[in-house]
Amino acid sequence: MEEEIKAVAEEILRRAEEEGFVRIFAHYDADGLTSAGILCNAFLRRGISFHTSIIPKLSPQLVKALGAEEGLILLCDMGTAQLDLVLELPKDVVIIDHHAPPPPPETEDADDASAVLSAFSPSVSFLRKKAVAIFSEREAKTEGADAGGREEHSILLLNPVAVTGKDEDAFCAASLAYLVAKHLGANEDLAGLAIAGALGDRQELTEGINRKILDEALDAGVVSARRGLKLYGENLKDALLFSTDPYTELAGSPESVEAFCKEMNVPAERKISELSEEEQRRIADALVALLHTPENEGEKGAAGLYADALFGTSYVLNEEVIPSAYEFMRVVDACGRFGKGGIGLALCLRDESMLDEARRLHRKFQTKLVLELRRVRESRNSAASAVKEMPNLYYFFVRERGITGVLAGILARYIFVDKPVVVLNTIGKPENETKISARCGTLLKGVVDLSTAVSVAALKVGGFGGGHPSAAGASIPAGTEKAFIEEVNRIVGEQRKSLT
């Protein structure tokens, strides 16, 4: 795949020189922001002009508007799910992504990734069929051309998931962007951003592309590893009070945190870095014992996964403005989700002047999460539970804006682990649209395909969506929530039935 990555980098340079400018659009989560940050750093170092926008979604309206943008269009952590619309643009576009393509037009072999991409455009070609697809189009010139004149443009898609048909957990948009950046100059110091992006998408760092990047970063001293609690904060009390991922039953309750620290015989004001590994292990074991999980055969597995989320190896980013990889990732993510992607991008560009504001946004974000998790916790055993259950999923209407996807992930990983969780946000903007985030816990990996379920259900009610088998999102028209949930429940039921 290295040859394909190098070819992508060379093509970006060629097109950037021709256009004189790169117009970047990136998703607002940690992976999107760090992938954009990596490329912005690389472009700055080469003297390439660019303009970056951080956005929550690539809507059909925005895709159409891209046609009027100047420069080379570069999409980070998005674009594959909207491939059918992007292919209609009369411009050169580069997509660096790791999401699945949308449900294809009619094709004889939907399981063959090459056939699926070819169904969108017969002009598609591949570089070794490992990572890169190229869609070349020729359009009639409308002005200033002789009769029959043609103008060529192409869409370059760097996405191993779309090209191979395999949804891997071992790379993300940031790790792909980093591999490209390495061919744009001496950018090995940016590996920490790729690690943060992978952590943001909850990916494995023990295999594949992510493992290769991590090993190189550790060897170069760009990243360091330590073992202990995977919590962060000014002190133990602060870490426990606002910890939502990993989630603890103490979150949002100062009294419970004080009582817990007293029971552990550890001062609440001590920094986690000052605690011995034995003390940190003891705290992690006690937090596992507090977690509420379903009393079923999957409980031991869920408890074990929770223990791994609390205690183990974490990483220090030696070149970034926030050393803790987990904290850096979550602070950047919070900036993006509050519509302050520029602040998150500034952190990726190592602008320390943005730290105070970024941390304020992160605290605000954590407070919103804690409030919603408390509502779930307090209503969990009542008839009026905030989380509703259907045969094949749980669903929940959020009351706080900007936290839909993160909250869905927390509920699926730590509380409702036996079925997918769908969180609906009807209070965002625009008012005629409902945002959807669907997640399934690690115990359900390989059992359901939420990308298919959510995208098909969204299309049925007049919306659009996509993502990964274990994490997907959608936007649907307001008023179609009931029909959407019922359709996802039906599809997930059929998926589970097909495996039994």
Side-chain angles (χ1 to χ4, degrees):
M1 192 169 72
E2 190 68 23
E3 293 180 16
E4 292 177 88
I5 297 292
K6 181 180 180 181
V8 170
E10 292 174 346
E11 187 66 11
I12 288 174
L13 282 179
R14 184 186 69 79
R15 296 186 188 187
E17 290 175 356
E18 287 182 355
E19 298 280 356
F21 181 70
V22 181
R23 185 70 172 97
I24 304 171
F25 292 86
H27 191 232
Y28 71 169
D29 69 1
D31 186 29
L33 274 160
T34 52
S35 61
I38 289 168
L39 293 170
C40 288
N41 274 295
F43 291 152
L44 274 174
R45 294 170 182 182
R46 287 196 70 103
I48 296 173
S49 299
F50 61 88
H51 175 197
T52 303
S53 295
I54 308 300
I55 58 177
K57 64 184 178 184
L58 192 60
S59 67
Q61 295 79 12
L62 180 55
V63 173
K64 292 179 181 179
L66 294 181
E69 291 284 346
E70 297 293 329
L72 168 66
I73 303 296
L74 177 54
L75 306 178
C76 294
D77 198 31
M78 55 173 51
T80 309
Q82 299 81 20
L83 187 58
D84 51 342
L85 298 175
V86 175
L87 285 171
E88 297 177 4
L89 291 173
K91 290 182 66 65
D92 286 349
V93 179
V94 175
I95 300 171
I96 299 178
D97 195 12
H98 66 132
H99 296 93
E106 291 297 324
T107 178
E108 294 181 2
D109 189 358
D111 293 327
D112 183 338
S114 300
V116 169
L117 291 181
S118 297
F120 288 105
S121 172
S123 64
V124 66
S125 60
F126 298 91
L127 294 180
R128 303 172 70 89
K129 292 189 177 181
K130 290 183 179 179
V132 180
I134 303 171
F135 300 85
S136 298
E137 305 290 341
R138 294 184 64 82
E139 301 289 343
K141 291 183 179 179
T142 56
E143 297 180 3
D146 297 332
R150 308 292 287 179
E151 186 174 80
E152 185 171 324
H153 62 273
S154 64
I155 311 298
L156 193 155
L157 172 65
L158 171 56
N159 184 342
V161 171
V163 174
T164 66
K166 298 177 181 178
D167 188 28
E168 303 284 351
D169 282 336
F171 60 86
C172 60
S175 46
L176 294 172
Y178 172 72
L179 295 182
V180 170
K182 284 178 63 180
H183 289 285
L184 296 176
N187 295 309
E188 286 77 8
D189 63 304
L190 302 177
L193 296 179
I195 299 304
L199 292 174
D201 271 13
R202 300 198 63 84
Q203 292 189 334
E204 294 292 334
L205 298 179
T206 57
E207 57 187 42
I209 294 173
N210 291 339
R211 175 60 184 269
K212 180 181 178 183
I213 293 173
L214 176 61
D215 286 346
E216 291 178 355
L218 290 169
D219 290 342
V222 174
V223 173
S224 302
R226 70 169 183 83
R227 189 165 178 78
L229 278 170
K230 296 181 180 179
L231 302 176
Y232 60 88
E234 292 183 11
N235 50 47
L236 180 60
K237 178 181 178 179
D238 184 70
L240 292 172
L241 192 60
F242 289 97
S243 179
T244 56
D245 190 0
Y247 169 71
T248 84
E249 294 280 325
L250 306 175
S253 175
E255 300 82 5
S256 297
V257 170
E258 290 285 358
F260 177 83
C261 292
K262 186 175 181 179
E263 183 180 346
M264 291 289 99
N265 195 28
V266 176
E269 302 302 324
R270 282 184 68 184
K271 294 182 178 180
I272 292 177
S273 61
E274 297 173 348
L275 301 176
S276 68
E277 183 173 328
E278 187 278 329
E279 286 175 314
Q280 294 185 47
R281 168 68 77 178
R282 190 158 48 86
I283 290 170
D285 291 342
L287 290 172
V288 172
L290 289 175
L291 183 69
H292 171 93
T293 53
E295 294 183 3
N296 56 29
E297 189 65 29
E299 182 178 0
K300 288 185 179 179
L305 293 169
Y306 181 52
D308 290 341
L310 276 169
F311 187 93
T313 302
S314 56
Y315 299 97
V316 179
L317 310 181
N318 296 319
E319 302 290 336
E320 306 308 327
V321 294
I322 298 176
S324 166
Y326 288 107
E327 183 180 7
F328 180 90
M329 172 268 290
R330 289 177 182 128
V331 171
V332 166
D333 191 72
C335 293
R337 293 180 188 277
F338 275 136
K340 302 293 183 179
I343 295 177
L345 187 60
L347 297 188
C348 295
L349 294 171
R350 299 170 180 167
D351 183 351
E352 294 185 6
S353 70
M354 293 288 104
L355 271 174
D356 288 344
E357 178 62 12
R359 283 199 162 110
R360 185 191 69 81
L361 290 169
H362 175 246
R363 178 57 60 92
K364 179 181 177 182
F365 187 80
Q366 292 302 107
T367 300
K368 284 174 171 277
L369 282 174
V370 165
L371 289 173
E372 287 289 52
L373 288 167
R374 180 188 294 175
R375 181 161 72 96
V376 170
R377 184 170 65 230
E378 293 177 351
S379 70
R380 190 161 50 201
N381 298 318
S382 70
S385 174
V387 177
K388 309 300 181 184
E389 184 175 7
M390 295 183 75
N392 302 298
L393 57 80
Y394 298 97
Y395 69 96
F396 174 78
F397 283 87
V398 71
R399 291 180 180 175
E400 297 283 348
R401 291 176 57 185
I403 63 172
T404 310
V406 176
L407 181 63
I410 295 169
L411 294 176
R413 279 190 295 277
Y414 301 116
I415 304 176
F416 301 98
V417 300
D418 57 326
K419 300 176 186 178
V421 175
V422 180
V423 175
L424 303 95
N425 182 351
T426 61
I427 58 176
K429 293 182 179 181
E431 295 180 356
N432 62 346
E433 184 177 276
T434 294
K435 179 181 177 182
I436 307 291
S437 287
R439 303 289 187 271
C440 66
T442 308
L443 293 177
L444 290 174
K445 185 176 178 180
V447 177
V448 299
D449 180 358
L450 289 180
S451 177
T452 297
V454 167
S455 61
V456 170
L459 285 172
K460 186 171 183 178
V461 299
F464 63 93
H468 306 282
S470 59
S475 292
I476 62 174
T480 65
E481 296 85 4
K482 184 174 183 292
F484 173 83
I485 286 292
E486 290 176 347
E487 182 66 5
V488 174
N489 180 69
R490 182 191 66 78
I491 296 172
V492 170
E494 291 182 351
Q495 291 176 347
R496 299 185 74 165
K497 192 180 298 181
S498 69
L499 292 177
T500 60

